Amino acid sequence: MDAGYGLPRQVTILGATGSIGQSTLDVIARHPERFSVYAVTAHRSVDELAAICRRCHPRYAVIADETLVPRLVELLGPGHSTQVLGGNQNLCEVAAAPEADTVMAAIVGAAGLVPTLAAVRAGKRVLLANKEALVMSGALFMDAVVESGAELLPIDSEHNAIFQCLPVGQSRDLQGAGVRRILLTASGGPFRLSSAEMLQKVTPDQACAHPNWSMGRKISVDSATLMNKGLELIEACWLFNTEPSRVEVHVHPESIIHSMVEYLDGSVIAQLGSPDMRTPIANGLAWPERIDSGVESLDLFALGSFHFEKPDRKRFPCLDLAAEAFKAGGTGPVVLNAANEVAVEAFLAGNLSFTGIASVIETVLSSAPVSPATTLEEILAADHAARAEAQVQLRRFQ
């Protein structure tokens, strides 16, 4: 909807039960005249999905695990207006449905690639919160954006900050915009000051206790290992058409400056805000307008000061592993992401040490061949092979 006229934007939320999905629903609920929920999806969180349907009355609800369709139907009861669907094919169909103009891509990990790409190919306004989709498919993804005329808006707080700091219409032309470099901030995670010895004893609950952000367990572990920042480095390169050498990671423990852009004249423009994902979500939903997100005003007097540090790449090698995977090109980032997902899952299950995550990733990267990533089939095949190799390598570090 533009400037308050016309019908509300119809929004599909892929991954509605996660933290991003819930924050999106919160922002939408504050503006019922501007936005309406068209479809919601989840992988297996059937109770949470049913609660969303009862509250928002979307036209469709898709549970990826088809075995849970009867349970969702039962929870909603007879006469409910929401049509229940199951399976990945239906996930893609609601992502591309012509009735919806906006898609929040918030499915965690590689599982979000295919439905997010379906939304892009259908020419939607895609609010990208699933960085792994872009990390895996890179050129294929961005080519699809151009070919379909899709509107791609970054939702990760860092990339949304960079987007806001760039001139309108020049996010893919940094040279033309006079940009010298991108300053990508990182909180440093919960173990920023931990010794290498302490890192070996980290538990899953400790790794998931982020000091600033409320996030799901997988992304919390990624933040703790700095792999999240590595994935964001790759994402930034694709989104803003640049190279890792022009993206510098700055550890900023307060998580108030979400990222910065330095220009050729020496000016540095930063985007600040409380660590609340509703800010970038509201920015993406209403862009180029501004709307209330529900986030309180930033109290700079209470904060007092900001701090910056260089990331410790020796204690947190995932950052360099990500840069190496991007430099390798082709399926390199696919292998990186697959190995990381397998390793993080093993860590959360208690079958791998915290420091073992990087070890598994490094081993898989060195053993898995890099091949072209020009088609979706090639990307999915590389993902499958890398996961199998990661399972083999896990035994070495258990």
Side-chain angles (χ1 to χ4, degrees), residues 155-169:
I155 300 301
D156 269 345
S157 61
E158 296 82 359
H159 303 89
N160 182 263
I162 295 163
F163 180 79
Q164 292 193 52
C165 292
L166 290 169
V168 174

Side-chain angles (χ1 to χ4, degrees), residues 34-52:
R34 298 183 64 109
F35 309 107
S36 178
V37 180
Y38 174 76
V40 291
T41 82
H43 178 51
R44 298 193 81 255
S45 301
V46 64
D47 291 342
E48 293 87 344
L49 192 61
I52 291 170

Side-chain angles (χ1 to χ4, degrees), residues 263-346:
Y263 287 85
L264 293 173
D265 62 5
S267 298
V268 177
I269 298 179
Q271 187 266 335
L272 286 70
S274 298
D276 191 318
M277 286 304 298
R278 289 178 297 175
T279 295
I281 289 168
N283 178 262
L285 282 170
W287 189 85
E289 298 177 61
R290 300 278 182 170
I291 59 172
D292 175 34
S293 66
V295 177
E296 294 184 4
S297 296
L298 190 63
D299 188 346
L300 293 172
F301 296 113
L303 290 167
S305 61
F306 297 142
H307 301 88
F308 298 95
E309 306 165 3
K310 289 185 177 181
D312 188 329
R313 295 171 183 270
K314 185 175 181 180
R315 284 185 300 136
F316 301 100
C318 287
L319 194 54
D320 284 340
L321 291 174
E324 292 168 10
F326 182 81
K327 185 178 179 180
T331 56
V334 180
V335 174
L336 173 88
N337 183 72
N340 179 62
E341 290 193 11
V342 171
V344 169
E345 184 179 4

Side-chain angles (χ1 to χ4, degrees), residues 62 119 123 363 390 398:
V62 183
T363 303
Q398 291 177 341

Side-chain angles (χ1 to χ4, degrees), residues 351-363:
N351 298 323
L352 182 68
S353 69
F354 180 78
T355 53
I357 295 173
S359 298
V360 169
I361 297 167
E362 184 175 17
T363 303

